[in-house]
Amino acid sequence: MKKICLVLIILLAAGSFVFASGAQGGSGGAAAGGSALIGIAMPETHVLRWQKDGASLKTEAEKRGYRAEVAFGDADQTQQNRQIQGFLTQGAKLLVVGNINDGVNSVIADAARDKVAVIAYDRLIMGSADYDYYITFDNFKVGQFQGQGIEQGLNLASATAASPKYITLFAGSPTDNNSKFFFDGAMSVLNPYIDKGVLKVVGPYPKTSADNANFQRIATENWQAPLAKTRMENLLSNDARDVVLDAVLAPNDTLARAIIEACLADAKYAGGKLPVVTGQDAEFDSALSIKNGQQYMTVFKDTAKLAEAAVILADQILKGQTPNVPGASLASGSLTSIGDTGRKVVKAYLLEPVIITKNNISVPVNAGFYTDAEAAQLR
Ligand code: GAL
């Protein structure tokens, strides 16, 4: 009799362990994939790329047997926090979060308390020690590409201090940590030319984002294009009134197109005499602008690849495996700081961006980044 009781106790204990691990999504592959919910919180939709990111993340998660829900925060962190709380209430086992600002930290702490894994998606969650993973592109390299676009577009290697080129500077949202990496990458290319006097800055000049006072003066709250357009109009009427600008450092495509719009309304720049204007995200309207000789360059960050890599990482985390993400390298050496939240250095997985000018628009086209109708206009 005693033997039967002992066997029963052992069987019951084993059963509860398997149920618990399945519920935690710890070791169960099918259990984790079959029923686990992945909550996907994207920051906004006014920058088109996030619509693609949300759709790709959901598709990739469902491909691997997960349930997936996408929410867009409309650049309002309070709204995004409510959405994330909703995911936690529904029992999400993992969150993929593209935050708006570090006001997200309170719900990231809630997720940690509930043992829900969090992946910071394309934007580092600053000031938090409550998560372990970040996946993005090499954002410093994105900025270097923007700087190289201006270097190439103005042929700075041959410029002289006797007849300098003129540039004005814009940065992304001050609440988006990426903005500092983009800006510092670009200035790592441009500062040597400014030091030599062959490139002159019109308007505020932070040498790097560490000059916070001047960085804030060129930053663009929540990446809002109307703010960039108004600031460019003010520059054209004031600081840049008596010079012809040769370049504008624009941190992404939505701001680039707003800046170009302001320039085209100024007689100095109409009729094809636009400054070299940079961008990133390879948005269709900007790819078309580059093809038509207006915007000078953009950076292709294949968000389909980023989304696939993020879900592969999520799947490995939920299955308790040591992450090894194809197509993404774990930041190390000087790049480790990309994962520094100020409270913890999280594991940062970096994908490679690609510089796009009128000579290689075929790259995002051939990657299937656009609709057929859009691709036809770019060929
Ligand atoms: C950044 C992102 C860029 C661009 C920008 C505007 O965080 O890395 O690709 O999308 O946001 O939303």
Side-chain angles (χ1 to χ4, degrees):
M1 184 59 177
K2 270 188 184 169
K3 258 192 186 173
I4 293 170
C5 292
L6 184 60
V7 169
L8 274 175
I9 289 166
I10 290 167
L11 283 176
L12 277 173
S16 62
F17 172 73
V18 168
F19 173 76
S21 68
Q24 294 298 325
S27 56
S35 58
L37 171 66
I38 293 179
I40 300 164
M42 296 286 99
E44 59 220 15
T45 52
H46 65 270
V47 180
L48 296 179
R49 60 144 303 176
W50 296 108
Q51 296 177 32
K52 290 181 195 264
D53 289 89
S56 301
L57 283 160
K58 181 172 167 60
T59 302
E60 291 297 334
E62 289 171 346
K63 239 195 255 178
R64 289 165 178 78
Y66 293 97
R67 286 181 295 127
E69 235 187 273
V70 186
F72 293 93
D74 296 336
D76 175 345
Q77 192 59 62
T78 306
Q79 176 173 321
Q80 187 179 68
N81 285 7
R82 275 198 299 272
Q83 293 163 343
I84 292 173
Q85 281 292 8
F87 292 146
L88 294 174
T89 307
Q90 290 177 66
K93 291 292 171 246
L94 183 139
L95 302 175
V96 177
V97 179
N99 71 93
I100 295 136
N101 58 49
D102 57 12
V104 74
N105 290 359
S106 56
V107 288
I108 301 302
D110 292 347
R113 183 203 57 219
D114 298 352
K115 305 254 183 300
V116 173
V118 173
I119 298 174
Y121 182 84
D122 199 40
R123 293 178 174 178
L124 191 62
I125 297 169
M126 291 306 288
S128 171
D130 289 324
Y131 71 105
D132 298 305
Y133 299 100
Y134 173 38
I135 192 161
T136 185
F137 291 88
D138 181 339
N139 293 317
F140 188 82
K141 186 177 282 188
V142 168
Q144 286 177 305
F145 286 158
Q146 293 172 343
Q148 289 161 16
I150 290 169
E151 180 182 47
Q152 178 190 54
L154 298 186
N155 192 11
L156 288 179
S158 310
T160 64
S163 60
K165 303 292 184 184
Y166 292 92
I167 185 172
T168 196
L169 305 172
F170 282 73
S173 180
T175 61
D176 178 351
N177 195 55
N178 287 348
S179 303
K180 294 177 180 164
F181 284 98
F182 301 144
F183 183 73
D184 291 344
M187 298 313 287
S188 71
V189 175
L190 299 175
N191 278 330
Y193 293 106
I194 297 168
D195 294 345
K196 281 196 291 192
V198 303
L199 182 64
K200 287 192 178 306
V201 179
V202 177
Y205 171 38
K207 208 170 180 70
T208 71
S209 61
D211 173 359
N212 190 50
N214 278 309
F215 183 75
Q216 294 296 331
R217 293 174 65 202
I218 67 168
T220 313
E221 192 63 38
N222 279 335
W223 297 89
Q224 296 288 342
L227 298 180
K229 184 177 179 190
T230 302
R231 181 166 171 258
M232 190 64 203
E233 288 164 345
N234 291 340
L235 279 162
L236 292 171
S237 311
N238 299 291
D239 292 358
R241 189 184 52 245
D242 302 324
V243 296
V244 176
L245 289 172
D246 299 291
V248 182
L249 175 64
N252 85 332
D253 288 349
T254 44
L255 304 193
R257 295 196 303 274
I259 287 161
I260 288 169
E261 222 178 287
C263 289
L264 288 173
D266 183 317
K268 264 192 281 185
Y269 303 100
K273 295 193 291 295
L274 281 169
V276 166
V277 179
T278 61
Q280 74 166 294
D281 291 329
E283 289 182 2
F284 168 69
D285 288 345
S286 282
L288 202 56
S289 173
I290 291 167
K291 182 170 187 281
N292 296 335
Q294 292 195 331
Q295 188 170 327
Y296 185 79
M297 59 73 69
T298 184
V299 178
F300 177 41
K301 305 185 335 181
D302 192 341
T303 51
K305 287 215 173 80
L306 180 63
E308 182 186 30
V311 173
I312 289 171
L313 175 59
D315 188 43
Q316 291 171 346
I317 293 166
L318 286 170
K319 290 175 180 170
Q321 297 164 354
T322 305
N324 172 13
V325 185
S329 56
L330 181 58
S332 58
S334 63
L335 285 178
T336 307
S337 67
I338 282 188
D340 186 353
T341 74
R343 295 276 312 282
K344 175 180 188 178
V345 178
V346 300
K347 293 184 183 67
Y349 291 87
L350 307 182
L351 282 78
E352 282 301 307
V354 180
I355 185 169
I356 303 296
T357 64
K358 66 177 183 312
N359 302 321
N360 67 337
I361 293 174
S362 59
V363 169
V365 170
N366 296 340
F369 194 58
Y370 305 112
T371 65
D372 291 347
E374 290 171 340
Q377 294 181 62
L378 295 173
R379 283 202 176 88

